[in-house]
Amino acid sequence: WVSYALSARYDATSAFGSSFNPRFSVLFKPNDDLQIRVSGGTGFKAPDFRQLFVEFSNHLPGAGYDLLGAYRVGNTLEPERSTSFDAGVVLNLSNTLGIHSDAGAWTLDVRGFRNNLRNLIEYYFYKQVGNYAVYSYHNIANVYTQGIEANLRGVLTLAAQQRLTTSFGYQYLDAKDVEVLNAIDAGTAGSVDASTGSFVPLTRSQYRGLWFRSPHTGTTRVQYDNDDLGISANVRAQYIGTFGDEGLDKVNDYVIDTPPRKVWDSDKKSVPAYWNINSTISKTFTFDRTSSAVPALLRMNIGVNNILDNLNLRSLPSLVGRQFFVNVNVEW
């Protein structure tokens, strides 16, 4: 009913030194319907080539930004180092709650996590050149991320060889710059009111967290499988809550001086929440092989990504609008 794993990783780099990082994990299984997992360890990540030397431009209409590696703007990057803790519970709800078999098999997975990071490698708004925002990379000396994840999964048997699988997930994320929090507590974080010239201190309730990290995200997925017909269909809806984009701050609103730092503290620096919905239908054909030239299996997938046609090239360059796709896999 108890098992554990002790592991370690050693990194050696010519440019950023070496690091030894252990991790310890424990799994408790008091009974067949309950699992409790606990783990902790350290991590190391050296800056990669992209973060150091990239030179990328996206001047498409609606976008208008450049991304430069840290060395190209005179920044020196240090490797990230982290300490992480994780604890979770997996519960078989069907047996625990006595759910009737006709209602399917349901499993609940809940976990909490905490990561303390030093020298987090983060991209940031470097400067404005004409109509184009220029981003680069720098280190943030002291950061934490913590939160809770919950996932509910159910499998319902509709008929022989037919089933419906559903899953619902939610994550709450609290990601903060500790230097900003310390400045808030010291009363030195804030801005000057342009109309009065007086200093307006920043409060903890106004500070919403690190850029480009949504406090609230969720996912819902429904899949139908018919093994007799070789058909599978699914719909996946992902919710991304509002998050901050430093490039939306057009007034260079620095709230701490050492080091100079902007923060996400108002709606004018926020990207609105959105849903990203994808769907796929697949059909599998199997063949009686009479020779090696005849395939054993052919699978065709047809689908569409980003059904709602969300498009924000400025803050979400990876979200490029609605996309249709077809792919075919053949196995011998």
Side-chain angles (χ1 to χ4, degrees):
W1 64 277
V2 177
S3 59
Y4 61 90
L6 178 63
S7 59
R9 172 180 172 130
Y10 178 76
D11 290 90
T13 70
S14 60
F16 300 102
S18 60
S19 180
F20 177 78
N21 298 285
R23 173 165 291 276
F24 184 65
S25 303
V26 182
L27 172 64
F28 301 93
K29 295 181 64 176
N31 55 60
D32 291 338
D33 300 320
L34 176 64
Q35 298 182 23
I36 302 172
R37 297 188 178 96
V38 180
S39 67
T42 62
F44 171 88
K45 185 173 74 172
D48 61 28
F49 182 85
R50 171 180 54 90
Q51 294 163 340
L52 294 171
F53 301 108
V54 69
E55 185 172 341
F56 174 77
S57 296
N58 184 352
H59 292 173
L60 293 173
Y65 68 90
D66 296 323
L67 179 62
L68 301 177
Y71 283 0
R72 295 189 179 276
V73 300
N75 287 344
T76 299
L77 291 183
E78 299 294 330
E80 292 182 11
R81 299 180 186 272
S82 63
T83 304
S84 62
F85 304 94
D86 188 292
V89 174
V90 180
L91 186 63
N92 184 335
L93 294 180
S94 298
N95 292 341
T96 305
L97 301 180
I99 297 176
H100 193 272
S101 60
D102 291 343
W106 292 89
T107 303
L108 177 65
D109 186 347
V110 180
R111 61 180 288 263
F113 59 90
R114 166 82 182 205
N115 303 299
N116 299 315
L117 301 106
R118 288 178 291 138
N119 293 321
L120 173 69
I121 300 173
E122 184 84 329
Y123 63 92
Y124 73 106
F125 178 75
Y126 173 59
K127 64 180 180 180
Q128 188 79 20
V129 178
N131 294 325
Y132 302 120
V134 181
Y135 292 87
S136 187
Y137 294 90
H138 66 171
N139 289 115
I140 303 180
N142 192 356
V143 165
Y144 73 77
T145 64
Q146 61 185 7
I148 297 174
E149 289 183 356
N151 293 279
L152 177 65
R153 184 176 185 270
V155 180
L156 177 63
T157 300
L158 302 177
Q161 305 299 312
Q162 296 184 52
R163 61 191 175 277
L164 190 69
T165 305
T166 59
S167 62
F168 309 91
Y170 168 76
Q171 176 183 270
Y172 168 73
L173 175 65
D174 176 29
K176 298 287 176 59
D177 183 337
V178 176
E179 288 184 324
V180 173
L181 293 176
N182 291 339
I184 291 174
D185 293 340
T188 58
S191 57
V192 175
D193 189 322
S195 60
T196 64
S198 59
F199 178 76
V200 181
L202 180 71
T203 65
R204 278 183 173 252
S205 62
Q206 292 172 323
Y207 177 38
R208 305 184 187 184
L210 296 179
W211 302 108
F212 292 101
R213 288 170 174 81
S214 173
H216 303 283
T217 57
T219 303
T220 299
R221 189 175 190 273
V222 179
Q223 176 162 325
Y224 168 77
D225 292 287
N226 188 318
D227 296 335
D228 282 338
L229 299 178
I231 293 175
S232 177
N234 68 74
V235 177
R236 181 177 184 271
Q238 183 181 22
Y239 172 77
I240 306 297
T242 183
F243 58 87
D245 180 353
E246 187 177 5
L248 298 178
D249 183 356
K250 301 300 184 182
V251 295
N252 294 325
D253 189 14
Y254 293 97
V255 299
I256 64 174
D257 295 326
T258 308
R261 194 71 48 82
K262 301 179 183 181
V263 302
W264 178 29
D265 59 357
S266 67
D267 290 338
K268 69 180 182 180
K269 306 173 188 177
S270 301
V271 177
Y274 67 94
W275 285 90
N276 186 16
I277 303 177
N278 305 324
S279 182
T280 304
I281 300 175
S282 66
K283 167 67 177 175
T284 301
F285 302 89
T286 56
F287 303 95
D288 293 329
R289 301 187 68 187
T290 57
S291 71
S292 59
V294 177
L297 179 147
L298 182 149
R299 181 179 295 108
M300 176 178 290
N301 298 299
I302 301 173
V304 56
N305 291 331
N306 193 6
I307 292 175
L308 300 180
D309 197 25
N310 289 307
L311 186 66
N312 186 340
L313 296 177
R314 172 63 182 71
S315 299
L316 300 165
S318 62
L319 202 63
V320 293
R322 187 181 297 115
Q323 293 178 306
F324 297 90
F325 66 89
V326 176
N327 64 59
V328 177
N329 300 317
V330 182
E331 297 180 13
W332 271 270

